[in-house]
Amino acid sequence: MTAEIQTIFTIGVYGSTEESFFGALVENEIDLFIDIRARRGLRGSKYNYANSSYLQANLKELGIYYAHLKELAPTKEIRALQWEADKQDKTLKRERTGLSDAYIKAYKKQILKYGRRKAELILEPHLVLERAKHLAEYPTAKPLQRYVLFCVEANAEACHRSIVATRFRDKTGGKVKHL
């Protein structure tokens, strides 16, 4: 019998509704929600369901565990590289379809490769997942079946979660599914 190939799920909030957002998590049987944003709040009421306390309460109601791994968030300096590229390309943030080479290079070097914080947890997916499970107080006896990496962008390719997901895929041989 062949082992099932792990799927690395990702999700953004922009362009979703509360129903479609939580519905995608339930439909894909997500066990662990990994928030990789630097700041866990959004301005305005349109996406208030993605603000930390409301989000965590709804996830708990759905039986989905929550962990915040801020160490996977890009630094302000890395984000500034993307803002500069967007400015040069005259691209609005929410219309971005990809990330600049400078952003990707800096993110990989500073966050994934060297990990400016807790590098030993960032380099290997299984260690990142163990940390997330610990933070979420995920039951040790319960095998982790499905997890999702979360940030705000609608288009995963315009968000650092795609870089993390690709790193996980490359290290585990899994596949990536953007919800």
Side-chain angles (χ1 to χ4, degrees):
M1 180 177 251
T2 304
E4 182 180 335
I5 293 177
Q6 180 187 34
T7 301
I8 300 111
F9 293 91
T10 81
I11 193 168
V13 70
Y14 291 151
S16 70
T17 64
E18 184 171 352
E19 293 76 24
S20 67
F21 181 80
F22 289 108
L25 299 173
V26 170
E27 181 180 318
N28 287 280
E29 302 174 338
I30 300 300
D31 296 317
L32 178 61
F33 186 98
I34 304 172
D35 189 339
I36 60 173
R37 300 176 289 175
R39 293 179 306 277
R40 297 186 286 167
L42 294 162
R43 292 187 183 117
S45 61
K46 185 172 183 180
Y47 298 108
N48 67 343
Y49 55 92
N51 288 329
S52 183
S53 56
Y54 188 87
L55 173 65
Q56 289 182 62
N58 277 316
L59 291 171
K60 187 174 185 176
E61 219 172 270
L62 296 171
I64 300 171
Y65 291 83
Y66 172 90
H68 181 228
L69 293 183
K70 187 176 180 179
E71 61 264 27
L72 290 177
T75 64
K76 186 175 183 178
E77 295 77 20
I78 294 171
R79 290 192 315 267
L81 294 170
Q82 187 60 51
W83 298 331
E84 183 58 34
D86 290 346
K87 184 177 174 183
Q88 287 179 3
D89 295 340
K90 295 182 172 105
T91 301
L92 297 174
K93 179 182 176 184
R94 293 205 189 160
E95 294 176 3
R96 185 185 311 136
T97 58
L99 296 167
S100 72
D101 290 341
Y103 177 100
I104 293 168
K105 183 178 178 182
Y107 185 86
K108 285 179 175 179
K109 181 178 180 184
Q110 294 178 36
I111 306 298
L112 294 183
K113 185 173 182 184
Y114 300 108
R116 52 182 207 84
R117 304 174 213 102
K118 301 185 191 266
E120 70 279 1
L121 300 177
I122 295 170
L123 294 174
E124 295 298 330
H126 72 279
L127 294 174
V128 172
L129 292 175
E130 285 304 314
R131 175 162 162 70
K133 286 167 49 177
H134 174 75
L135 290 172
E137 298 180 359
Y138 193 87
T140 55
K142 181 179 179 181
L144 178 60
Q145 299 294 319
R146 294 170 171 250
Y147 63 91
V148 68
L149 300 169
F150 168 69
C151 197
V152 297
E153 302 299 331
N155 180 349
E157 297 307 316
C159 181
H160 71 287
R161 73 180 188 271
S162 66
I163 302 171
V164 177
T166 299
R167 174 64 168 250
F168 277 33
R169 182 201 66 207
D170 292 349
K171 289 280 197 170
T172 66
K175 60 184 181 175
V176 176
K177 181 177 179 182
H178 302 293
L179 305 179

